[in-house]
Amino acid sequence: MSGKLCDVCRESPPVYRQAYSGVSFCAECFKESIEKRVRRTISRYSLLREDDRILVAVSGGKDSLSLLKILARIERDFPRASLVAVSIDEGIPGYRDEALRLAAELCRRLRVEHRVYSFKELFGAGLTDARESGVLKRLGLGPCTLCGVWRRKSISLAARELKATVVATAHTLDDIVQTYLMDMLRGEFPKAPIGLRREGDGIIPRVSPLRLIPEEEVVLYAYLSRIPFQETPCPNAQDSQRDLVRSFLAHFDARYPGSLFAALKAIESRIETREGALTHCKVCGEPTSRSLCRSCELEGLVSHILGETRQLVGPDVGVDDV
Ligand SMILES: [Zn+2]
Ligand SMILES: [Zn+2]
């Protein structure tokens, strides 16, 4: 790229060439183009309203921290809107601590309220407790399954408590196409578009403002914006199905730029959203398609087995006896 200039400002040297558009960007113009595209995504799909109280789910990874930064900027133009960042502490000692610190630090810098909710206080056990107790093995579940269900539930509980009107998650274009493709590889066509606003009885809608930003551009945005983010993957991560699909799509899109956009468009134009299939969980009242939501079902099973284990071990067996 030596000797060439940014295609937008024609002043600074480019740092990134967008293969699917052919445009080369300098650092400043690139960051601006990402923020602009997020604004356009929000208005094109009507993701946010002027008076929303937006809960941003912040894990401490690059995607969620970038989303928080972009939304904090956009929110300044909407005085009736407010932002609150929520992080979930899954109880994975040594891993989550750094991410929570990075999330808290960025929230301070951006002056965004930050709240942390933990599995331990919400469900009575952290993820590592649940794994070490043998509960997951007995249920035949991987740690990521329980974690995913509980994280979703934690965010819903937080949204209710904080009176949020919408939840913003950091799913990127890549994440969404991966999920659609995984659905199809399991023999099911996606039932609902991911990250588009759907209001309904008792539902706090979830939206994905980064749904038209490729993963590699989010990484570059975080890097150019000097957002420190956690790079160590979760020690439990072993979603081998998603890893395969992710690497296939990334290779394919590198060879044939624009494929991810094309897939998203083609799939979403054929999704027929069926409304009215939801009822409410008889325990927690959250919307679900069954009588007991998946989270309450797992919570019941886990606490039942943990209770049994505690009884077997007995109350007076100390650490020294093990
Ligand atoms: Zn430029
Ligand atoms: Zn429930």
Side-chain angles (χ1 to χ4, degrees), residues 141 145 149-150 288 290 292-299 301:
L141 290 178
T145 306
V149 173
W150 275 1
T288 171
R290 328 176 317 160
L292 188 65
C293 79
R294 180 84 171 132
S295 172
C296 286
E297 179 191 50
L298 289 177
E299 195 181 335
L301 290 168

Side-chain angles (χ1 to χ4, degrees), residues 33-48 67 70-71 74 169 171-173 176 194-197 207-214 261 264 268:
S33 83
I34 294 291
E35 290 168 10
K36 226 191 251 166
R37 199 179 323 146
V38 173
R39 282 178 195 267
R40 276 207 305 267
T41 307
I42 291 171
S43 69
R44 173 173 162 191
Y45 296 107
S46 307
L47 297 184
L48 299 175
L67 174 66
I70 296 170
L71 288 183
I74 295 176
T169 61
H171 296 109
T172 62
L173 174 65
I176 295 177
I194 296 169
L196 294 188
R197 190 159 186 147
V207 300
S208 309
L210 303 182
R211 68 196 323 279
L212 298 183
I213 315 282
F261 287 109
L264 184 90
E268 291 189 344

Side-chain angles (χ1 to χ4, degrees), residues 166-182:
V166 65
V167 170
T169 61
H171 296 109
T172 62
L173 174 65
D174 297 53
D175 295 326
I176 295 177
V177 176
Q178 284 160 20
T179 304
Y180 289 158
L181 194 54
M182 285 165 66

Side-chain angles (χ1 to χ4, degrees), residues 233-284:
C234 173
N236 294 323
Q238 36 147 292
D239 194 346
S240 50
Q241 242 187 47
R242 185 176 289 272
D243 287 342
L244 278 174
V245 170
R246 176 189 294 121
S247 103
F248 160 71
L249 286 175
H251 280 102
F252 195 89
D253 197 69
R255 176 90 58 93
Y256 304 104
S259 302
L260 291 176
F261 287 109
L264 184 90
K265 201 172 152 206
I267 295 166
E268 291 189 344
S269 69
R270 286 165 183 80
I271 294 178
E272 289 168 39
T273 310
R274 277 180 299 129
E275 306 285 349
L278 291 181
T279 60
H280 292 269
C281 169
K282 63 183 182 196
V283 173
C284 70

Side-chain angles (χ1 to χ4, degrees), residues 6 8-10 12 25-26 29:
C6 165
V8 181
C9 65
R10 312 230 173 247
S12 311
F25 292 93
C26 71
C29 293

Side-chain angles (χ1 to χ4, degrees), residues 10 47 58 63 100 116-117 121 127 137 142 149 151 156 189 216 234 244 247 262 295 307:
R10 312 230 173 247
L47 297 184
V58 174
D63 303 349
L100 289 175
V116 179
Y117 289 80
E121 66 190 10
L127 199 65
K137 216 169 246 159
V149 173
R151 225 172 326 119
S156 295
F189 197 76
E216 69 164 12
C234 173
L244 278 174
S247 103
S295 172

